[in-house]
Amino acid sequence: MIIRHHSKRSFILCLTALLLLVSGVIYAAPIPFPSLNIGVGTATKPNDVAVTVQIFLLLTIMSLAPGLLIMTTSFTRISVVLSFLRTAMGTQAAPSNQVILSLSLFLTFFIMTPVWQQINKDAYQPWKAQQISQEQAMERAVRPVRNFMLSQTREKDLSLFVSLSKLPRPKNAEDIPTLTIIPAFMISELRTAFQIGFLIYIPFIVVDMVVASVLMSMGMMMLPPVMISLPFKILLFVLVDGWGLVIGSLVKSFG
């Protein structure tokens, strides 16, 4: 017992000495921590104000980037059609929202690549090489996006928003403001997406009607037809290579 008490006492003394040694090292050589100071000062040069405004505008544009991606690209049509497809099949959460949005996003990149390559060639690279000004680069960057939206927008939707904006009758497409083209483009995209969604619904409705008729003829009216028709709809979709047909039709619809 005396030996155990002595060893325990020695361990406590060694631990205390170690803590004192470590604390002495810490106090002798304190560890530097980085500090960050944010403040609002007085601008002494006009360039300081201009840079601050540019940073503020850049942050604003970055926060609006998801909305601009949805409004000015093929994302709206693709996501709506894929949502219609999932609803028509009756699979509820398969594929999930994350899968639908991810597929829509990458298909958007695939479809919009020629437009973005043109922007890089005509606007970004000359501006990076200091061959054109920032205003000219912005003008050249907007032009391919406008042409893409105009190629997918119906004249009826364009005339609607031109009349709503109370602008004078434009002589050509160059006279139409971009803020007028964007909502007209979105309305046209929704209309096209609903048309494709209607065509997608037809074969699945036929399967539901056939299954419901068979169940009624067999006297199984208490059995939900959706429970029986769902495997047949999935089988039909797989046999006809449904994903290839839907995705191929979506991509070709932007041609």
Side-chain angles (χ1 to χ4, degrees):
M1 294 293 294
I2 296 175
I3 295 175
R4 290 182 179 178
H5 182 72
H6 179 72
S7 60
K8 183 176 180 181
R9 184 176 180 182
S10 300
F11 175 74
I12 294 174
L13 290 175
C14 292
L15 181 61
T16 304
L18 180 62
L19 291 176
L20 291 174
L21 179 62
V22 172
S23 62
V25 171
I26 292 176
Y27 280 107
I31 300 175
F33 291 97
S35 60
L36 177 64
N37 297 322
I38 300 176
V40 179
T42 303
T44 58
K45 300 178 181 178
N47 291 334
D48 296 338
V49 179
V51 172
T52 304
V53 173
Q54 289 178 1
I55 295 175
F56 176 76
L57 292 177
L58 178 61
L59 293 176
T60 304
I61 293 174
M62 291 178 62
S63 63
L64 296 176
L68 293 174
L69 177 65
I70 294 174
M71 290 186 295
T72 61
T73 62
S74 57
F75 183 86
T76 301
R77 183 188 304 184
I78 297 172
S79 60
V80 171
V81 169
L82 294 180
S83 299
F84 270 122
L85 175 61
R86 182 179 63 181
T87 305
M89 292 182 63
T91 53
Q92 297 181 357
S96 62
N97 291 331
Q98 290 83 356
V99 174
I100 289 179
L101 292 178
S102 300
L103 181 59
S104 302
L105 188 61
F106 280 101
L107 285 175
T108 300
F109 291 156
F110 178 78
I111 294 171
M112 299 298 296
T113 295
V115 177
W116 293 337
Q117 287 178 345
Q118 186 177 356
I119 293 174
N120 179 65
K121 177 182 177 182
D122 298 341
Y124 178 71
Q125 293 299 332
W127 174 75
K128 184 179 179 181
Q130 298 182 354
Q131 297 175 357
I132 58 176
S133 63
Q134 185 175 357
E135 291 77 10
Q136 292 175 332
M138 289 297 296
E139 183 180 354
R140 293 186 181 185
V142 171
R143 192 176 303 155
V145 179
R146 283 173 54 93
N147 294 335
F148 172 79
M149 290 190 294
L150 288 172
S151 65
Q152 305 296 327
T153 306
R154 299 188 309 156
E155 293 183 3
K156 185 177 181 180
D157 295 328
L158 272 177
S159 61
L160 171 64
F161 282 95
V162 168
S163 62
L164 290 176
S165 61
K166 299 180 180 179
L167 294 174
R169 184 179 180 86
K171 298 179 181 179
N172 49 41
E174 297 295 332
D175 296 337
I176 303 177
T178 304
L179 293 178
T180 304
I181 297 176
I182 292 177
F185 168 74
M186 293 189 67
I187 295 297
S188 298
E189 287 293 283
L190 289 175
R191 176 186 173 87
T192 306
F194 274 66
Q195 290 175 345
I196 299 175
F198 172 76
L199 296 177
I200 290 175
Y201 255 95
I202 293 177
F204 296 112
I205 291 177
V206 171
V207 174
D208 287 333
M209 292 178 63
V210 171
V211 172
S213 300
V214 172
L215 292 178
M216 289 185 64
S217 64
M218 296 175 62
M220 305 175 66
M221 292 179 292
M222 299 300 294
L223 184 64
V226 179
M227 185 181 299
I228 306 300
S229 64
L230 180 58
F232 291 100
K233 289 191 288 187
I234 295 176
L235 179 62
L236 173 66
F237 190 72
V238 172
L239 290 177
V240 300
D241 190 18
W243 286 113
L245 291 175
V246 172
I247 300 303
S249 301
L250 274 173
V251 174
K252 292 178 182 178
S253 66
F254 290 96

